[in-house]
Amino acid sequence: MADIVVLGAGLGGTLVSFELIDQMRPGDRLTLIGQSGAYQFVPSNPWVAVGWRKREDVEVDLTEVARRMKIRLLTMGARRVHPAEKRVELENGESVSYDYLVIATGPDLAFDEIAGFGPDAHTQSICQTGHAEKAHVAFEAFCRNPGPLVVGAVQGASCFGPAYEFALILETELRRRRLRDRVPMTFVTAEPYIGHLGLDGVGDTKGLLESEFRQRHIKWITNARVTAVTSAKMMVDEIALGGSVQASHEVPFTYAMLLPAFRGVPAIRGVEGLVNPRGFVLVDEYQRNPTFPEIFAIGVCVAIPPTGATPVPVGVPKTGFMIESMVTAVAHNIGALLKGAPVSARPTWNAVCLADFGDGGVAFIAQPQIPPRNVNWAAKGAWVHLAKVGFEKYFLRKIRSGESEPFYERFLLDQLNIHKLKEPQIDETPHA
Ligand code: FAD
């Protein structure tokens, strides 16, 4: 009998729990540790922030799902992982021991790295549903008294897609409210060019997103390092190749939302051998930590090096499809170990993404995620918005029902001929 513990009940943690159930032997036990009993569909947060969704539309109560699937769900959160003792210390002081641990704790949001930055200071956030609700209250107040608006992502950020989505969704909503003519908009980003996305672009995302911004009169500042934020102004340095300050801007705003840099959560940060200096979990090609081989990691908490040098630090995004490929590989590998076989599944880390603009959007496929690529495709159209709404409904139904391998997803991927982009690659000569 083995104890398998999954830490983090977000996208990766919930999905890997569902897939592990199919891999377990009779008598094996699965524990899922979250910080609450609610799963939040993070990609819908931009819609919460403009009032197109409410919390109850994007949240799933995991307690009933876990009970049905015989997963022990603990909702008090973890204080610390102790790999040498193979145990997770909980916030209530108790401990849970494991034979195998999957870390899926997502990001810690590093707002504190810039003075005046974040939802407890002068800017809004859409990273959590609670933040997005607060951003919505602020947006309604802004609409009663419109002014300049700033959206973007700061130095060290890795999650750029939602910043573009939010800028363009806000623009759509402001036009619908007939307020757009009173709102100068600026996109401030650490990326070296518009559409870089932390991926050195995908297909012609540079051209597609620049064109979208030009058509919608959104100005931009790239290579941006935000040095401080006050209640009405953002101090932004534009950095040249080599690191010198090329220009300094004071950007006025009445409403601002910028994605922060991410780092590993406190429960794992600083654990020797487990994480890098920024707190992200070190993994090998099987998603397994080299120092503690009974620990696997998936999702945003995984350490991935940047695509290349940029004047301002820019991280690599860990998108949903890519995370699902990690999930499938980890479930397969733990399943193999439980059966006494070596690990053999490597995730593809391919990216398939839908970025919604409220009335259209951009879709892209990157295989592999890091260029040069075999598939490097991006396109825009009204269908992307409809596809994203459809995907939200489908995905929330999948979490509510606890399905791990639904027919719909297989069918869709087959239709698009991208099924192989997600399936793990299986070694013919597996490693111990
Ligand atoms: P999360 O889903 O963030 O889950 C981490 C979980 O760990 C959380 O529930 C947290 O409470 C829990 N946790 C943290 N610390 C502890 C602890 N000490 N103890 C117990 N639990 C803990 N990707 C796409 O492909 N498409 C999109 O449209 C898209 N939109 C996005 C929009 C936004 C605003 C953001 C921020 C990201 C988006 N992403 C998108 C990227 C990515 O898919 C999501 O961030 C996804 O939720 C990441 O999954 P994860 O499992 O790594 O982390």
Side-chain angles (χ1 to χ4, degrees):
M1 194 195 80
D3 272 307
I4 304 157
V5 172
V6 175
L7 181 57
L11 183 101
T14 305
L15 291 182
V16 83
S17 299
F18 295 171
E19 293 205 19
L20 278 165
I21 289 284
D22 297 337
Q23 299 287 340
M24 286 161 45
R25 303 159 304 180
D28 291 334
R29 282 193 310 218
L30 179 61
T31 303
L32 173 60
I33 305 172
Q35 287 176 310
S36 81
Y39 168 82
Q40 296 177 342
F41 187 62
V42 173
S44 295
N45 286 348
W47 292 338
V48 173
V50 288
W52 296 355
R53 293 288 185 281
K54 298 251 176 289
R55 174 185 284 266
E56 54 270 28
D57 301 327
V58 303
E59 239 181 38
V60 177
D61 178 4
L62 285 177
T63 44
E64 168 53 24
V65 184
R67 194 192 53 74
R68 219 178 328 120
M69 300 189 72
K70 298 190 172 47
I71 298 169
R72 178 166 69 136
L73 176 67
L74 303 178
T75 57
M76 67 292 277
R79 187 181 295 158
R80 197 70 175 160
V81 173
H82 299 278
E85 299 158 43
K86 293 194 188 173
R87 72 178 172 98
V88 178
E89 178 190 346
L90 302 174
E91 285 292 358
N92 64 3
E94 292 173 10
S95 283
V96 179
S97 299
Y98 59 80
D99 297 295
Y100 297 104
L101 173 67
V102 183
I103 300 178
T105 41
D108 186 52
L109 309 170
F111 291 115
D112 55 302
E113 292 178 342
I114 301 170
F117 181 43
D120 294 328
H122 303 302
T123 60
Q124 303 301 323
S125 165
I126 53 169
C127 291
Q128 297 170 0
T129 306
H131 293 170
E133 286 180 316
K134 197 172 166 205
H136 177 227
V137 173
F139 179 63
E140 292 300 332
F142 169 81
C143 288
R144 289 191 290 278
N145 181 26
L149 191 149
V150 178
V151 176
V154 306
Q155 57 271 24
S158 51
C159 192
F160 295 96
Y164 286 95
E165 283 195 313
F166 195 49
L168 292 159
I169 287 169
L170 283 170
E171 201 275 342
T172 302
E173 180 63 14
L174 289 168
R175 269 189 289 114
R176 286 182 186 159
R177 295 187 190 208
R178 314 290 295 170
L179 293 173
R180 181 65 182 91
D181 58 327
R182 296 167 61 190
V183 181
M185 288 182 72
T186 310
F187 192 81
V188 172
T189 180
E191 296 159 282
Y193 56 84
I194 290 298
H196 179 284
L197 300 169
L199 295 168
D200 201 4
V202 182
D204 189 26
T205 46
K206 180 177 193 292
L208 292 173
L209 289 166
E210 275 189 3
S211 148
E212 201 66 37
F213 277 6
R214 269 194 291 270
Q215 283 178 22
R216 298 186 191 222
H217 294 279
I218 299 174
K219 298 193 183 319
W220 64 79
I221 302 172
T222 52
N223 290 314
R225 186 168 64 204
V226 177
T227 55
V229 187
T230 68
S231 59
K233 270 188 299 196
M234 197 171 294
M235 270 53 83
V236 181
D237 285 343
E238 225 177 309
I239 307 298
L241 264 179
S244 60
V245 176
Q246 189 170 307
S248 290
H249 308 266
E250 282 191 2
V251 188
F253 69 87
T254 308
Y255 185 98
M257 194 299 298
L258 282 87
L259 270 296
F262 292 165
R263 62 189 170 208
V265 302
I268 54 172
R269 217 182 306 147
V271 177
E272 189 68 35
L274 181 66
V275 297
N276 72 9
R278 193 79 191 155
F280 291 109
V281 184
L282 300 163
V283 294
D284 64 13
E285 60 196 309
Y286 304 101
Q287 297 295 138
R288 188 156 77 151
N289 179 258
T291 312
F292 304 104
E294 60 288 337
I295 299 184
F296 292 78
I298 53 181
V300 173
C301 67
V302 170
I304 299 182
T307 47
T310 46
V312 178
V314 164
V316 172
K318 291 127 192 182
T319 55
F321 193 86
M322 178 198 201
I323 295 171
E324 288 198 52
S325 85
M326 299 181 189
V327 162
T328 306
V330 166
H332 187 284
N333 286 334
I334 292 180
L337 292 169
L338 289 173
K339 293 171 190 87
V343 299
S344 61
R346 286 174 287 126
T348 58
W349 283 15
N350 293 319
V352 176
C353 254
L354 301 170
D356 174 50
F357 302 166
D359 56 357
V362 165
F364 64 78
I365 301 177
Q367 181 205 17
Q369 182 159 280
I370 312 298
R373 306 186 174 106
N374 295 316
V375 180
N376 189 39
W377 174 87
K380 72 178 177 183
W383 63 273
V384 179
H385 173 69
L386 299 174
K388 186 126 194 178
V389 173
F391 186 72
E392 176 203 48
K393 305 250 170 300
Y394 153 73
F395 197 87
L396 286 167
R397 202 167 56 231
K398 171 170 157 165
I399 297 290
R400 283 189 190 103
S401 64
E403 285 172 61
S404 60
E405 284 292 343
F407 166 78
Y408 172 84
E409 191 171 32
R410 283 193 175 280
F411 175 77
L412 186 74
L413 297 181
D414 282 345
Q415 291 304 303
L416 294 172
N417 197 24
I418 56 173
H419 200 183
K420 62 182 179 302
L421 297 188
K422 188 182 149 206
E423 288 295 295
Q425 293 154 357
I426 308 292
D427 286 355
E428 282 170 17
T429 50
H431 294 224

